[in-house]
Amino acid sequence: MTRSSHQQSNPYDELAELFLTDPDQQSLNDQPLEPGSAVASKVRLSLVGHLPVRAGVWMSPYADAAARHAGPTAMLRFDGPMASIELLRAEPSLVARLDGEDLRATIEVLAGSVRQWLIRPDVGEGIDQLDTRLCDDVHVLTGADEAAVVAAYQMVKQLVDSSEQGGRRVPDIAAAVLGASPEAAERMVDRLNRTARSFLGVRIPLALCVPCMEHTIESTGFLRFENKTIPPLGEVINWIRRAERTHKAIGEESAAVDRSRERRQISPDPQAHAPRNEFITALEAELASSGGRSSDDRPDESAVAADDSASDPGEMTGRTGPRESPSPSTAQMQEAAGSSRAASSPDEWAPARTAGTSQSRASSAGSSMPPRGHARLTPKPKVTVECKSPERSAEPTEGGQALPLADQVAGLTALPVRCPGHERVELAADSSGRVHLLMRDPDLRDAHVVSRWVRTHQELLALACREHGLTFDRPPTIHVVTDRPDRVADLHGSDLHLHVVAPVDVEAGRQWYAAALNQPQAAYG
């Protein structure tokens, strides 16, 4: 018996579709957007609506989908007194230039390379409190179920009402549907548009559709700014605008300098070849005075050599004697050649030196072209290599390979599997078979995604790690490893297991110190 179309599907199957990518299915992320679409904007306000599972885990897939069209993208998130920036599809060398302590300095560096900014305001800040005049447009991040449609319409209505009450223009609003197929996303936006056009007079286009959490997210770097005084959202956007204007002015000035340099290099200089032209004119006069003999009419070289030896015996035998004065035509040619050498630079024109009177006569009578110049080669640049000591490892290693984090926690054994798309989160097991998740503090936001993935695929994990006797009657235990305990000071009262693994440099070399920072009551239990 087949299932009817209106019957609800298995919720576990729907959850699996969110995390497993169908390679044969083409999503809206892989389709080119129309010109003038919202993805091409510079600064975008991203408002989180009703999303599947957990809203936080969809932010990176959404930002990566937008970055596929616009290029390097920065996702700026505000959470109370904390702010964070995630850089996607940017050059890895850009991360090394960032200041991880000052939010404004980081924005000033990124403004020269980032093509778009996705700003997610604090979830506690009401929509009516947001000033949308400084943004190019607004994205409403939503699912495709009934509750998502209702929540999206309420957010659009609040945006329209607050703009009209404040006398502002209603911003361009688009929908980004996450966790649904392209067909379901189009149906959801169509329903939303029918209501929005009827009661609000606005149209909500479909900007992005992310069917599932793919493993091809290109996250270049993640920075967190904690315990800092975070200014209002409008001031942060002004920082972005001012930094963009500064980079634009610098780029225009550099382009003007390059164009000026190119014009100087390609513009003809009428005086550059004047000395050479004078030399050619004098040489033509010499050839004309000699009767215009060609190379076929010149005398035999042996006769010329004999005449030279008779006229200048000292040159051939080494004895000194009176030299024959050159003919007026030859003196005129040499004077013209000397004046050209004095007037032109050595790099532009340098006549070949003659070895004697006989060679000078032979070259002047037998050739109708000026001597070929000697080009001066540009010296090769010198590079000074500074010897530096090899960089020390930033994590425990053995034989050149990084050790698992499970080796730093007593009683745990690393498992040979990882969650797709979140390979930085390690899986381990204790003696009772309970699963543990270990990660460094910047990857803490992936913990719940991997924890749900473990519970969803527990049968496959049990088969893959049969020798560990895994049990799934309790949720996985989460361990957070850091090299700076002050960064996780606010997590001591949670159910997370905190550990410090930090380098210690001694005379024998670099050693590693590992210790637990807290003991949650539910530890291993």
Side-chain angles (χ1 to χ4, degrees):
M1 181 177 181
T2 59
R3 178 184 297 176
S4 60
S5 59
H6 65 274
Q7 185 176 0
Q8 293 183 353
S9 59
N10 191 336
Y12 292 100
D13 294 339
E14 295 180 353
L15 185 62
E17 291 177 357
L18 297 179
F19 295 92
L20 299 178
T21 304
D22 185 1
D24 298 329
Q25 182 180 10
Q26 184 180 14
S27 66
L28 286 182
N29 298 340
D30 302 325
Q31 301 175 1
L33 298 184
E34 299 179 357
S37 60
V39 175
S41 300
K42 187 66 175 181
V43 178
R44 174 174 299 117
L45 198 61
S46 302
L47 303 181
V48 179
H50 189 278
L51 294 175
V53 190
R54 289 176 59 90
V57 300
W58 288 102
M59 299 308 298
S60 294
Y62 156 71
D64 184 73
R68 294 179 186 179
H69 304 279
T73 298
M75 164 68 76
L76 180 57
R77 287 183 273 193
F78 296 93
D79 296 290
M82 184 185 70
S84 62
I85 293 180
E86 183 176 8
L87 197 59
L88 299 105
R89 298 184 181 267
E91 294 293 334
S93 58
L94 183 60
V95 180
R97 298 162 45 198
L98 300 180
D99 184 357
E101 300 296 333
D102 188 357
L103 176 61
R104 182 170 186 176
T106 302
I107 290 176
E108 291 176 352
V109 175
L110 292 178
S113 304
V114 169
R115 298 292 300 275
Q116 68 172 345
W117 294 82
L118 305 179
I119 302 178
R120 192 218 69 186
D122 189 1
V123 293
E125 188 172 1
I127 296 179
D128 54 348
Q129 301 175 2
L130 300 176
D131 188 356
T132 59
R133 291 176 299 179
L134 301 176
C135 300
D136 294 322
D137 59 4
V138 178
H139 269 190
V140 176
L141 279 58
T142 177
D145 54 7
E146 295 290 339
V149 176
V150 175
Y153 174 76
Q154 291 176 351
M155 298 179 69
V156 173
K157 184 176 185 302
Q158 292 178 9
L159 285 171
V160 174
D161 292 345
S162 61
S163 299
E164 293 178 351
Q165 293 174 4
R168 304 187 301 267
R169 181 186 66 87
V170 177
D172 296 332
I173 307 174
V177 181
L178 312 178
S181 64
E183 295 78 9
E186 292 177 356
R187 290 194 299 268
M188 179 269 177
V189 173
D190 184 62
R191 292 180 54 192
L192 179 62
N193 269 315
R194 288 199 299 267
T195 308
R197 283 198 298 264
S198 300
F199 296 97
L200 304 178
V202 296
R203 179 180 177 273
I204 312 298
L206 176 61
L208 288 174
C209 176
V210 183
C212 56
M213 297 184 184
E214 301 178 352
H215 65 281
T216 57
I217 297 177
E218 297 184 12
S219 180
T220 309
F222 184 83
L223 296 176
R224 182 182 289 109
F225 304 89
E226 300 179 359
N227 301 326
K228 304 292 183 181
T229 302
I230 304 300
L233 178 61
E235 184 175 351
V236 174
I237 298 179
N238 283 329
W239 290 353
I240 298 175
R241 297 299 192 188
R242 284 194 291 266
E244 289 175 355
R245 289 194 293 267
T246 301
H247 283 279
K248 182 179 179 181
I250 295 176
E252 292 177 351
E253 182 177 355
S254 301
V257 172
D258 294 339
R259 290 193 298 268
S260 177
R261 185 182 295 111
E262 292 176 358
R263 285 196 297 269
R264 289 197 301 268
Q265 291 177 353
I266 64 176
S267 60
D269 187 0
Q271 302 298 329
H273 303 288
R276 180 172 180 175
N277 295 334
E278 295 177 359
F279 176 79
I280 294 176
T281 302
L283 185 59
E284 291 176 349
E286 165 65 18
L287 293 176
S289 63
S290 62
R293 291 182 300 175
S294 63
S295 58
D296 297 332
D297 298 334
R298 61 187 178 186
D300 184 59
E301 293 183 357
S302 60
V304 174
D307 180 66
D308 290 340
S309 61
S311 61
D312 194 0
E315 185 175 330
M316 300 297 294
T317 62
R319 297 190 301 271
T320 60
R323 293 178 58 88
E324 179 183 3
S325 61
S327 63
S329 59
T330 305
Q332 181 182 3
M333 182 180 66
Q334 294 178 352
E335 181 180 358
S339 62
S340 66
R341 286 195 300 269
S344 61
S345 62
D347 294 336
E348 295 176 344
W349 179 250
R353 297 185 178 90
T354 56
T357 307
S358 61
Q359 296 180 9
S360 175
R361 292 177 180 177
S363 61
S364 63
S367 176
S368 61
M369 295 297 294
R372 186 179 300 273
H374 297 282
R376 178 175 296 178
L377 299 178
T378 304
K380 295 182 178 180
K382 296 182 179 179
V383 179
T384 303
V385 180
E386 180 181 358
C387 298
K388 294 184 178 180
S389 58
E391 183 179 359
R392 298 186 176 184
S393 59
E395 57 184 4
T397 58
E398 182 177 350
Q401 299 293 329
L403 294 176
L405 296 177
D407 293 355
Q408 311 300 324
V409 180
L412 297 184
T413 302
L415 298 179
V417 293
R418 299 287 177 91
C419 174
H422 302 276
E423 289 80 3
R424 299 178 69 89
V425 179
E426 300 181 9
L427 276 69
D430 56 22
S431 58
S432 65
R434 183 175 183 178
V435 178
H436 295 253
L437 308 182
L438 299 97
M439 69 219 68
R440 296 194 175 271
D441 55 304
D443 304 316
L444 178 58
R445 60 191 182 89
D446 298 339
H448 293 286
V449 179
V450 180
S451 178
R452 183 174 292 275
W453 178 83
V454 169
R455 294 195 297 271
T456 304
H457 301 83
Q458 56 186 6
E459 293 84 0
L460 295 178
L461 291 176
L463 294 175
C465 308
R466 191 189 306 271
E467 65 278 8
H468 295 277
L470 301 182
T471 60
F472 301 94
D473 54 340
R474 294 167 297 178
T477 303
I478 300 176
H479 300 258
V480 181
V481 180
T482 182
D483 57 349
R484 289 182 53 183
D486 59 317
R487 291 203 298 238
V488 295
D490 56 335
L491 301 177
H492 277 266
S494 64
D495 58 350
L496 302 176
H497 294 250
L498 307 179
H499 306 267
V500 58
V501 177
V504 179
D505 295 326
V506 295
E507 294 182 357
R510 170 159 288 191
Q511 305 296 329
W512 293 89
Y513 172 78
L517 296 177
N518 68 338
Q519 292 293 336
Q521 296 180 358
Y524 298 91

